[in-house]
Structure formats: C-alpha cells, structure tokens
C-alpha cells in the first residue's frame, strides 16, 4: 500500500475519533436537557424531599455538568459504561448480550439483503427501462414505501399466523441451536431486508447507469463482450464507491434503526433495551446506547470511505 | 486490385442511418444522419473518411461494426464484411464481428480505457474472449505490438494502469489493443486529434508503420485532410451525411473535383500583414512568475511580453506549456508570485476582486467551449445585454438598439435575439460570445483557443470576423492557441511557450523565419502539410539530424 493511501486512511480514522468525541458531547448535553428527574422517577411521586436529595447526592447528580461529563467519558474510554440507575446493573454486562443479538440480526439481514440488492441492481441495468427493470423498481419501492411496522405485521399475519412457517415472537436464549435461532429471527430479518433493499438497489442501478455513459463502456461493447460481462467487469468496479457508501448507510440503519422491528417481534436486542430505559428515564443507559449507535454509524461510514479510497486505482497506483 | 471480388473486405451498400432527436419545445422526430452512402474497401487498403462534424464519418465507420452511438439506428442498406451481411446476424452475430474481425481505435484513448484495469488485461481481453489463442500467446503478441508501436518498456508497460502513461502512449496502446486480436479491419476514429502536434507526428508514424507491417485494412476518420493524406490510399469526402467525392488520395488533395473538397483543401487561406509595434503597448507583462496555490512548482517563469493597441499577440504552445495560466494571471484569477501586469500604462491589481469595474470592462475573454461559457437558460438577448447593463447601465430601447448593433457586427442579425444557446450552431455560439465580449467595449480581448473546437471552415469564418472587428474597433487580441496555422493567419507578434517559459518572442515575420531554436523548429516541422510523403520526409529528416548529432 502506498504512503498516500495510508495517509488518507489515517486522516479518516482521526476524523472519525474526533467526530465520536463531538457526538459524546451532544449526547451528554441532550440527555441533560431532557425533562424529568431520575431520582423522582426511581422513588416515585410519594418520595419525601429528603429521600430525593439523598439519592441525588448518592448518584452524583449534584456535581457540575462538566465534571460529570469527564467522569462519564473516562468511564466510556475504559470500557465502563456505568451502572443503570433503575436496577443497579452494570451496563456493559447487560448490554453485551443485547448488542450481540442486535448484531446477529443485522448481520444476517445484511448477508441476505446486500447481495440481493446489488444483483437486482445489475439485472435492472441490463434490462434498463424494460419490463424487468420496472418490475424490480416497483416491487422494491413498494416495500420501502410501507412503514416497517406495517411490513412486520403483514409478515406476522401471513407467515406466522396463517402459514405458521416461522414464530411471530423472536425469542432467543443462551444455548439455543443455530437452526432454532435462525428460525426465530426469520421474520425480523425479512422485514429489515425489505426495508433496506430498495435504497441499495436503486443506488446500484443509478451508479452503474452513470458509468455506462463512459467511453470505456463503448470500447467494451466494440470488443464484442456480452452485456453482463460489460456491466460486471467494466461498469461495476467503477461504481463501487457510491454503492459502498449506500450499502454502509443501510448497514448502519440495520444496527441503529432496528428499534421498531425489535419491539414488534419482541427481540431482545439493543432497540428494546433502549426503549425500556428511555421510559424509565435511566440516563446512563440511554447515553451508553447513544454512544454505541454513534460508534457503529461512524465506523461503518469510515469503512465506506476507506473502501472508496482503496477502489481508486489512481490512489493505489500513483504515477 | 480492390475491384476483384475476392479481394473485397468491406462492402457497404446504400447505407442509411437515422436518429431520433428531441429538440426543446418541439416533438421528437427522426433525422437522417447518413443518406445512401456506398463504399468498398479492399484487403489491406486504407480509406480516409473526411468531413466536418456532422458529416457522418464516425457513424459510417462504426456501422462497419454494426454499432450506432446513442440513439443512432441503421435503417437501410447492407454492410457486407468478408461477404456476409453483418446486420443480419443479430446481436450475437455482431458480438462475433466486434473485437475479432473489426476493431476500433477511439479519439480519446484516455477516456476509452477503463481506469480500474491494467493495460495488458484490456489489450488482451477481446482476443481472449474470442478464443483465438491462450493468454500467454496473446500477451506475447501484445508485447511484440507494444515494441512495434515504439512504446517504452514493451515488456512491462502492460502492467501499468491507464493514468500511469501519457496520452500519446495510450493512443499507441489502443492501436496495439486493436491489432492484438488480428482483425481484418480497424476503424481509426480521429486517433491523433486530441494529441499535441509534436506528439501527433510520432503516433501517426507508429500507426502507419503498424498498418503496413500487419497488412490490416483501415477506415481512417479525421477532419484533418493533411493528416489523412499521410496514411490513406484513397479518400472519401462527406458532407451532411452524403458522399461528396471519392478518389485516390493524390487526386483528392492535388486535384479535387468538387467545390466543397476544394474549400476544405484551401482552408486557412487568410493572409494577414503584420502591423509595426506602437510605442505604447496596451498590455505589458513584466517578469511574471506564477505557481498554483498550495504548490511551489512555478508553472510560469519570468514572462515578459507586450500587446500593442489594435494588434494581435499569439501565444502558442502545447498542452501544459502555461499559456492558459498566463491568461489567468492577466485576468487576475491567479495572482503571480513575482512580476506585474500593466494595462495602458497603469499597474493592474494582481487579484481580480481588487480591480475596478472599468479595469474589468477593458479586459474581456472568449473561451474555447462556447457552449459552457453561456448560461443555457438565457437567450441571446440576455447574454449580450448583460454587460451593457453591468458596465454602461443601459436599459430599454437604448439597450435593444445596442444589442441589435452587436448582432449585426457578428454577422448574425436580429433574428437570433430570442434564441437559446442550444438553438445555435457551434460557430454561432462562438459569435455570440464574441458579441458579449465586444459589448463591454474592451481594449483587449483574451481569446483562449477560440477556434479549437470548431470545424476548419467555421473556424476560418470566426478568424475573419475577429480580424474585421479588430480593424473596426481597434481592439487588441491576446490569442492563445496550439494551432500554428491559426497563428500564421492572424498574428502580428508571436510568443512561443514551452514548459512555462517564453522560448521565442517577436514580430511574426521574425519568429517564423530561421534560424530557429530547437523547440520552435520541432513545433513548426510537426504541423502536418497537405502533401503526400510529408510524414516520411519529416521522420527521415529527424533521423538524419539525430544521427548527425
């Protein structure tokens, strides 16, 4: 790898870290601004003012904001996300399992949706403006236009209730076999796939169509190559950067945006965990979830940037 | 020889090609691009297709591969290749022809190579796809061809990516790519047009040698008669999709039969007597050295030139010589590192933002690409009227009268006043840009390659117009160009630029008379001349000289 590329990648990583720090400030300030009082929430409406004051002091809620921020940030940097106010659990431990569940679901949704989306994009380009192209666009656009809770309930009704192929509630537990686990996540996975497919497919199609205008595509046609070889070998590699960008954006959505889907299918992931604790005004948990989501989002976008840099032959092979 | 039936390679009969156009504000309709053209080409023969843009020469060339660019369709006639009508074989049949029997060399190899693949993979792709040999054999053949075409390091150049080799080298690699699958016919589509004149001559010689050695037949498409004359056995002159004249090369250039061919052959007939320099130059560039922001490489070094009132200074050089950068310095877009620009005796501020409105008015520009220099959503009235409002505050009737005057001056007339740029031809667009520059009543107009994108006859008209306007308005031109024929036609004085420096400067008569410095000699001797054997003469002459040194 050339020094120019390493420098660009180092720049991206440094920027990512800086961005994450900025996000940590935003999350902290944002949760500070939330209405309500944790002590009140924990002790209920009937608590005496003394009890409230004691609890506040115990939880460190009386320290100035910047002190609490650096305490918190120091913890986050050393892997200690603090303790949940509502039940005194260690957040890192409680979240570990949740996060791995969410990543498991997101990973399978990605493994299914990304290849399908790109393949559909390639096929749509090959039949551009024809019936197949329009059919692909119409179907995927319909699925993206429906809200995910609606798709989720449709799947529950038809596949879980009527056909009874997969369970409607995605219960997972330790020691569960792989096949059972896959069967449990089938419906949320399908819902997520339907939600992200259209965006990636359309972007693949648009990026490749854009490249298809290039003179080197004409060169390939005049070599007598088959249309699919032209698209795959000559157009696709030049469209990687925009495609990877939108793929990563959707992967990030699969991790960060699963809240609704997890709630529908009662899947024990990050989304459920976040929703539970928001309603309890459990600020440390909300902050921790926020940081994890931000880290996932930023790192996936950095990956997209780095792939785009590496895919550029001018950077890989300087003059 | 081409007459005997079994020696005929390509036989195009009554070809008709149409395309659907979508003009703004009108219903889409079909237009005829090529109308009833027939041609035959014998094995190993080279046919030059000549014409201006829109003549249909590329379209005819591509039809020999059954290919229509954009929405272009072959709607009539036959294309017989090796005795078979290739239009009857469907897409699969065409794919068997393309890259195997007929190969293509594009105008801009830089755009025609895929940036993500190594040259060798692209050069061998067609031959491997059509299964004529295994990878090793094809690669060995490619390396041999790289050597034949005079490429440096033929063994390893294939491992490079397109952006790692120069434009002239890429054009040779593309020729090697076409030859690699051992075709019967190659379509050369303006293969040297995008190159500098000193590069063009080497590539042209390499292509000619490769054609002779391999015995491949070729359709050689160009708008430049002098170039085609060097490589072709016979020529076809086309105009507006119709055949004008067809004959042996010598006959076409030495004794053209048709009026249109005669016009093409005798183009650049403008004679312009140089005027003596005046004591007070309108523009003085003194000791200018400039680098682009954030770099410390000087792209201009110690430039000293003058432009005299009502005269033309031609700045001539190849791409990368710094001539357009000089224009940026003069207009204040790029403040120089050292030196100054004086205008009518006063020193201009080096940055454009600090110049007064009157300074801006005195100095106007005309660009190479007239289409992109105008707002496509504005009519001619708005485009030409804007400087009238901006500099002189003209409104209403006064402004209308002045616009009409200007349109008259550029020989277009008021009928064009409500047209949009898209409704004008290339030459008309450039005329509107000239009118816009004139509207400011400038003392100096910088013309940056203003005729480079135009066909020779149209360019000739623009040059004549500029000379006429110079005489009427007494405006000075700083004329940036790479084309020495243009320089001869209009300059009073000439500055030859090479790698950021002025290597030769003075009145036209002196600059174009011997003794020459090495670079000017190379530049002047590289301009194609319309005579048979010119290419061989120059190459031979250079070989003798380098042997003598």
């Amino acid at each position: 790898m050339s020094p120019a590329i390493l420098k660009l990648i180092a720049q991206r990583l440094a920027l990512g870290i800086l961005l994450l720090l900025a996000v940590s400030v935003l999350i902290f300030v944002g949760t500070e601004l939330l209405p309500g009082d944790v002590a009140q929430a924990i002790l209920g409406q009937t608590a005496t003012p003394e009890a409230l004051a004691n609890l506040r002091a115990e939880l460190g809620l009386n320290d100035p904001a910047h002190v609490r921020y650096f305490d918190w940030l120091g913890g986050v940097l050393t892997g200690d996300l603090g303790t949940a106010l509502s039940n005194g659990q260690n957040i890192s431990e409680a979240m570990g399992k949740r996060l791995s569940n969410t990543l498991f679901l997101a990973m399978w949704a990605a493994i299914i949706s990304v290849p399908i989306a790109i393949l559909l994009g390639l096929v749509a380009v090959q039949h551009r403006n024809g019936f197949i192209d329009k059919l692909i666009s119409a179907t995927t656009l319909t699925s993206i236009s429906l809200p995910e809770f609606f798709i989720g309930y449709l799947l529950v009704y038809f596949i879980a209730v009527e056909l009874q192929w997969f369970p409607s509630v995605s219960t997972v537990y330790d020691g569960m076999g792989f096949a059972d686990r896959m069967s449990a996540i089938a419906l949320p996975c399908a819902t997520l796939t339907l939600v992200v497919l259209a965006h990636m497919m359309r972007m693949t199609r648009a990026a490749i169509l854009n490249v298809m205008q290039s003179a080197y595509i004409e060169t390939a046609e005049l070599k007598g190559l088959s249309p699919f070889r032209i698209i795959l070998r000559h157009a696709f590699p030049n469209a990687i950067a925009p495609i990877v960008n939108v793929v990563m954006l959707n992967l990030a959505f699969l991790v960060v945006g699963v809240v609704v889907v997890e709630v529908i299918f009662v899947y024990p992931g990050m989304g459920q965990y976040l929703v539970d604790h928001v309603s309890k005004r459990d600020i440390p948990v909300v902050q921790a979830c926020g940081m994890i989501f931000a880290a996932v989002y930023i790192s996936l976008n950095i990956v997209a940037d780095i792939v785009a840099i590496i895919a550029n032959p001018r950077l890989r092979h300087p003059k | 020889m081409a007459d005997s039936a079994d020696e005929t390679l390509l036989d195009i009969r009554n070809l008709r090609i149409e395309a659907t156009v979508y003009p703004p504000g009108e219903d889409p309709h079909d237009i005829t691009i090529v109308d009833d053209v027939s041609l035959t080409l014998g094995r190993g023969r080279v046919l030059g297709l000549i014409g201006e843009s829109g003549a249909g020469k590329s379209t005819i060339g591509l039809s020999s591969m059954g290919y229509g660019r954009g929405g272009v369709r072959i709607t009539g006639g036959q294309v017989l290749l090796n005795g078979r009508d290739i239009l009857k074989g469907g897409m699969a049949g065409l794919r068997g022809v393309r890259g195997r029997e007929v190969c293509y060399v594009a105008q801009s190899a830089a755009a025609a190579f895929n940036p993500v693949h190594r040259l060798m993979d692209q050069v061998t792709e067609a031959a491997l796809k059509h299964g004529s040999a295994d990878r090793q054999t094809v690669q060995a053949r490619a390396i041999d061809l790289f050597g034949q075409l005079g490429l440096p390091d033929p063994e390893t150049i294939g491992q490079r990516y397109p952006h790692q080799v120069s434009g002239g080298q890429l054009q040779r690699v593309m020729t090697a790519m076409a030859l690699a699958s051992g075709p019967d016919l190659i379509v050369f589509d303006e293969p040297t047009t995008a190159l500098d004149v000193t590069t063009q001559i080497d590539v042209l010689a390499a292509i000619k040698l490769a054609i002779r050695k391999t015995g491949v037949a070729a359709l050689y498409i160009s708008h430049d008669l002098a170039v085609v004359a060097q490589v072709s056995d016979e020529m076809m002159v086309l105009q507006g999709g119709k055949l004008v004249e067809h004959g042996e090369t010598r006959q076409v250039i030495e004794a053209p039969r048709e009026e249109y061919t005669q016009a093409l052959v005798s183009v650049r007939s403008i004679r312009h007597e140089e005027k003596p320099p005046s004591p007070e130059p309108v523009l003085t560039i003194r000791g200018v050295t400039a680098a682009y922001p954030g770099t410390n490489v000087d792209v201009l070094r110690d430039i000293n030139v003058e432009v005299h009132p009502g005269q033309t200074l031609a700045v001539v050089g190849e791409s990368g010589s710094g001539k357009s950068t000089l224009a940026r310095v003069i207009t204040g877009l790029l403040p120089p590192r050292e030196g100054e620009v004086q205008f009518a005796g006063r020193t201009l501020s080096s940055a454009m933002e600090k110049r007064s409105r009157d300074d801006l008015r005195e100095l106007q520009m005309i660009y190479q690409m007239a289409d992109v220099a105008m707002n496509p959503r504005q009519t001619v009235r708005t485009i030409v009227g804007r400087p009238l409002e901006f500099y002189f505050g003209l409104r209403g009737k006064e402004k209308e009268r002045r616009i009409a005057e200007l349109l008259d001056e550029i020989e277009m007339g008021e009928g064009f006043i409500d047209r949009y740029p898209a409704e004008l031809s290339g030459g008309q667009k450039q005329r509107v840009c000239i009118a816009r520059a004139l509207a400011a009543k400038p003392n100096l107009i910088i013309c940056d390659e203003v005729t480079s994108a135009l066909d020779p006859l149209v360019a000739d008209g623009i040059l004549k117009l500029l000379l006429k306007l110079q005489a009427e308005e007494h405006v000075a031109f700083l004329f940036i160009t790479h084309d020495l024929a243009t320089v001869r036609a209009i300059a009073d004085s000439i500055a030859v630029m090479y790698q950021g420096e002025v290597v030769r400067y003075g009145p036209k008569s002196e600059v174009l008379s011997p003794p020459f410095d090495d670079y000017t000699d190379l530049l002047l001797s590289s301009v194609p001349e319309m005579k048979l054997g010119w290419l061989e003469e120059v190459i031979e002459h250079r070989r003798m000289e380098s042997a003598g040194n």
Side-chain angles (χ1 to χ4, degrees):
Chain A
M1 256 206 238
S2 72
I5 291 204
L6 291 178
K7 189 178 162 215
L8 278 170
I9 292 177
Q11 268 175 358
R12 290 295 186 286
L13 290 174
L15 268 175
I17 291 169
L18 212 66
L19 201 57
L20 207 50
L21 274 179
V23 169
S24 75
V25 174
L26 275 180
I27 289 177
F28 190 83
V29 171
T31 46
E32 281 295 294
L33 294 175
L34 282 180
D37 178 4
V38 185
Q40 187 94 63
I42 293 172
L43 297 178
Q45 293 296 328
T46 54
T48 61
E50 292 78 23
L52 283 174
N54 281 339
L55 186 60
R56 279 199 199 108
E58 193 187 316
L59 295 173
L61 294 178
N62 293 331
D63 291 340
H66 65 272
V67 174
R68 281 182 287 129
Y69 171 71
F70 284 109
D71 278 352
W72 172 67
L73 188 66
V76 171
L77 290 178
T78 53
D80 172 20
L81 294 169
T83 25
L85 297 178
S86 48
N87 52 15
Q89 270 182 348
N90 182 314
I91 298 179
S92 308
E93 274 175 27
M95 202 154 68
K97 199 173 290 164
R98 301 285 192 140
L99 183 61
S100 74
N101 281 344
T102 289
L103 290 179
F104 184 76
L105 175 58
M107 181 184 79
W108 281 104
I111 288 174
I112 293 168
S113 63
V114 173
I116 292 183
I118 290 177
L119 198 71
L120 284 179
L122 295 176
V123 172
V125 169
Q126 198 183 347
H127 300 275
R128 54 187 167 278
N129 301 328
F131 174 72
I132 295 178
D133 179 23
K134 287 184 177 140
L135 184 72
I136 292 174
S137 278
T139 329
T140 52
L141 286 176
T142 309
S143 80
I144 203 180
S145 309
L146 298 173
E148 59 226 68
F149 64 81
F150 186 67
I151 294 180
Y153 288 128
L154 276 185
L155 291 179
V156 167
Y157 179 73
F158 285 107
I159 293 177
V161 178
E162 294 287 316
L163 296 170
Q164 305 207 337
W165 287 351
F166 296 109
S168 65
V169 173
S170 310
T171 324
V172 290
Y173 47 86
D174 287 340
M176 196 176 185
F178 180 73
D180 288 342
R181 194 176 276 264
M182 290 307 284
S183 153
I185 66 162
L187 289 189
C189 195
T191 310
L192 285 173
T193 301
L194 286 173
V195 171
V196 295
L197 212 52
H199 194 195
M200 288 191 284
M201 188 290 283
R202 295 286 294 181
M203 196 63 199
T204 305
R205 182 182 177 277
I208 292 181
L209 274 184
N210 195 21
V211 172
M212 292 297 278
Q213 311 290 325
S214 314
Y216 51 79
I217 298 299
E218 184 178 281
T219 307
E221 286 185 61
L222 292 177
K223 282 178 179 173
L225 307 180
S226 67
F228 205 71
R229 183 181 164 92
I230 292 173
I231 294 171
L232 202 63
R233 185 170 158 76
H234 286 276
F236 182 64
N238 285 288
I240 281 182
I243 293 175
V244 166
N245 256 308
V246 75
V247 165
M248 289 302 163
L249 213 61
N250 281 287
L251 291 191
F253 171 81
L254 286 178
V255 177
V256 176
V258 291
V259 178
V260 175
V261 171
E262 287 185 2
V263 171
I264 295 172
F265 293 98
V266 205
Y267 183 74
M270 289 286 284
Q272 278 244 320
Y273 187 63
L274 175 64
V275 170
D276 285 352
H277 289 80
V278 166
S279 58
K280 289 180 195 157
R281 294 207 178 78
D282 196 334
I283 284 171
V285 176
V286 175
Q287 285 171 335
C289 289
M291 280 309 286
I292 296 289
F293 285 159
V296 167
Y297 211 86
I298 290 170
S299 46
L300 284 174
N301 276 293
I302 290 176
V303 171
D305 270 11
I306 291 175
V307 171
I309 290 169
I310 294 175
N312 184 344
R314 283 167 197 275
L315 292 172
R316 252 185 306 139
H317 307 274
K319 286 203 174 187
Chain B
M1 200 172 79
D3 294 343
S4 80
D6 46 326
E7 286 298 327
T8 301
L9 171 66
L10 177 70
D11 186 0
I12 294 180
R13 293 182 188 162
N14 310 103
L15 187 68
R16 183 179 174 84
I17 298 177
E18 290 176 271
T20 309
V21 290
Y22 303 87
E26 281 174 58
D27 288 334
H29 56 270
D30 289 351
I31 56 161
T32 306
I33 294 177
V34 173
D35 190 9
D36 194 23
V37 168
S38 301
L39 66 87
T40 54
L41 182 66
R43 278 182 199 287
R45 299 272 290 175
V46 180
L47 171 65
L49 293 178
I50 305 290
E52 307 191 292
S53 52
K57 51 194 191 304
S58 288
T59 312
I60 293 174
L62 287 169
S63 75
S64 69
M65 310 177 83
Y67 186 80
R69 203 173 261 162
V72 167
R73 300 178 307 273
I74 300 174
T75 53
Q78 293 174 300
V79 178
L80 301 169
L81 183 77
N82 286 320
R84 271 177 305 118
D85 189 346
I86 62 166
L87 303 179
K88 294 237 166 72
M91 274 314 292
L94 283 177
R95 282 202 286 277
V97 171
R98 296 173 185 167
R100 194 167 67 112
E101 286 172 275
V102 191
C103 291
Y104 181 72
V105 176
Q107 172 170 358
S108 170
F113 274 105
N114 194 325
V116 305
H117 296 302
R118 292 180 195 276
L119 292 173
M120 182 56 94
D121 294 338
Q122 304 193 49
V123 168
T124 54
E125 187 176 18
L128 290 174
K129 189 258 169 186
H130 294 292
S132 53
D134 63 74
R135 184 173 297 272
Q136 253 184 340
T137 318
V138 181
Q139 289 194 349
R141 193 191 303 156
I143 289 171
D144 183 48
L145 286 167
F146 291 156
Q148 277 188 36
L149 285 155
L151 283 161
D153 311 316
E155 293 284 336
T156 54
I157 196 168
Q159 295 313 307
R160 299 199 213 161
Y161 284 84
H163 69 272
Q164 292 174 312
V165 301
S166 73
Q169 289 171 353
L170 268 187
Q171 212 68 46
R172 293 169 206 230
V173 176
M174 186 137 202
T175 307
M177 181 158 88
L179 287 164
S181 42
D184 298 323
L185 173 68
I186 297 183
V187 179
F188 288 96
D189 195 351
E190 307 253 13
T192 63
T193 305
L195 303 175
D196 278 324
V197 66
T198 54
T199 316
Q200 162 171 287
I201 191 168
D202 294 330
V203 174
L204 200 58
I207 288 178
K208 182 169 184 178
L209 191 67
I211 291 177
R212 291 283 175 268
K213 271 194 175 172
T214 55
V216 68
L219 287 177
Y220 197 103
I221 297 160
S222 179
H223 70 281
D224 191 337
L225 256 169
V227 166
V228 180
Q230 306 311 318
V231 291
S232 66
D233 304 310
E234 51 191 305
M235 280 186 181
M236 279 181 79
V237 180
L238 298 155
Q239 186 189 18
K242 289 201 169 79
L243 176 66
V244 175
E245 182 163 355
H246 180 195
E248 295 291 310
T249 298
R250 181 178 296 279
Q251 176 260 309
V252 173
I253 62 167
E254 287 177 3
R257 284 188 295 262
E258 300 296 322
E259 206 177 316
Y260 179 69
T261 317
Q262 287 161 7
L264 281 183
V265 171
S266 65
V267 74
R268 302 293 162 79
S269 53
I270 302 173
R271 291 280 167 269
H272 172 66
E273 291 298 316
E274 75 181 47
K275 300 184 266 290
S278 64
E280 280 177 29
V282 57
L283 179 80
T284 310
I285 297 165
R286 199 165 284 158
V288 161
T289 296
Y292 278 99
T295 65
N296 40 22
V297 184
D298 289 333
V299 283
L300 291 177
R301 279 184 300 278
D302 194 25
I303 307 288
N304 292 286
V305 289
E306 290 176 348
V307 186
H308 295 277
Q311 299 196 6
T312 301
L313 168 69
V315 177
V316 60
E318 299 184 277
S319 49
S321 62
K323 51 194 197 302
S324 288
T325 309
L326 183 61
R328 292 176 66 85
V329 169
I330 297 169
T331 50
L333 288 170
L334 177 70
R337 231 162 40 73
E338 279 167 41
E340 58 178 24
V341 177
Q342 286 189 349
F343 198 80
R346 61 185 194 278
T347 301
L348 284 182
S349 168
S350 65
M352 191 186 65
E353 305 82 59
K354 293 186 197 141
R355 293 187 183 174
S356 71
R357 188 171 284 204
D358 220 41
D359 284 343
L360 296 177
R361 180 187 65 75
E362 293 269 29
L363 217 169
Q364 294 292 313
M365 263 199 94
I366 313 172
Y367 305 87
Q368 174 174 359
M369 306 302 276
D371 335 28
V372 293
M374 289 188 284
N375 186 332
R377 302 255 169 199
Q378 290 181 348
T379 59
V380 170
R381 182 200 308 271
T382 320
I383 292 168
V384 178
R386 176 65 186 146
L388 298 174
E389 281 172 37
F390 184 75
Y391 293 120
F392 305 111
L394 293 189
R395 301 243 179 275
K397 269 210 185 108
E398 192 73 359
K399 188 173 90 176
E400 292 293 308
R401 196 185 50 75
R402 185 75 183 112
I403 294 174
E405 254 176 44
L406 286 162
L407 289 181
D408 234 30
E409 281 191 78
I410 57 165
E411 297 159 1
M412 278 175 66
E414 270 179 88
F416 288 90
I417 198 162
D418 286 316
R419 298 250 193 127
Y420 287 93
E423 299 168 300
L424 303 172
S425 71
Q428 288 167 342
K429 283 179 202 164
Q430 199 55 286
R431 281 168 193 257
V432 172
C433 289
I434 293 172
R436 174 172 63 182
L438 277 183
K441 290 195 185 251
N443 271 324
L444 176 73
I445 299 180
I446 298 176
C447 305
D448 191 355
E449 301 271 13
V450 291
T451 55
S452 305
L454 301 173
D455 285 316
L457 290 176
V458 180
D460 233 34
I462 296 286
L463 293 180
K464 280 181 185 145
L465 174 69
L466 286 172
L467 286 175
K468 185 197 89 174
L469 293 172
Q470 184 166 57
E472 284 172 5
E473 309 267 332
H474 205 62
V475 58
F477 295 133
L478 187 132
F479 205 96
I480 294 168
T481 183
H482 68 279
D483 181 11
L484 280 153
T486 307
V487 172
R488 283 205 183 90
I490 63 154
D492 295 296
S493 51
I494 300 176
V496 180
M497 289 193 69
Y498 179 61
Q499 295 189 346
E501 286 176 41
V502 172
V503 292
R504 194 173 170 91
Y505 170 59
K508 175 165 71 174
S509 51
E510 277 175 33
V511 168
L512 296 182
S513 313
F516 296 118
D517 59 288
D518 287 352
Y519 179 70
T520 309
D521 188 34
L522 177 70
L523 198 61
L524 288 173
S525 67
S526 298
V527 179
E529 286 173 28
M530 199 135 4
K531 67 176 191 198
L532 293 183
W534 164 81
L535 183 64
E536 284 73 18
E537 270 172 41
V538 179
I539 300 286
E540 184 60 23
H541 178 70
R542 287 190 186 167
R543 191 158 40 225
M544 305 253 292
E545 272 198 347
S546 62
N549 284 341

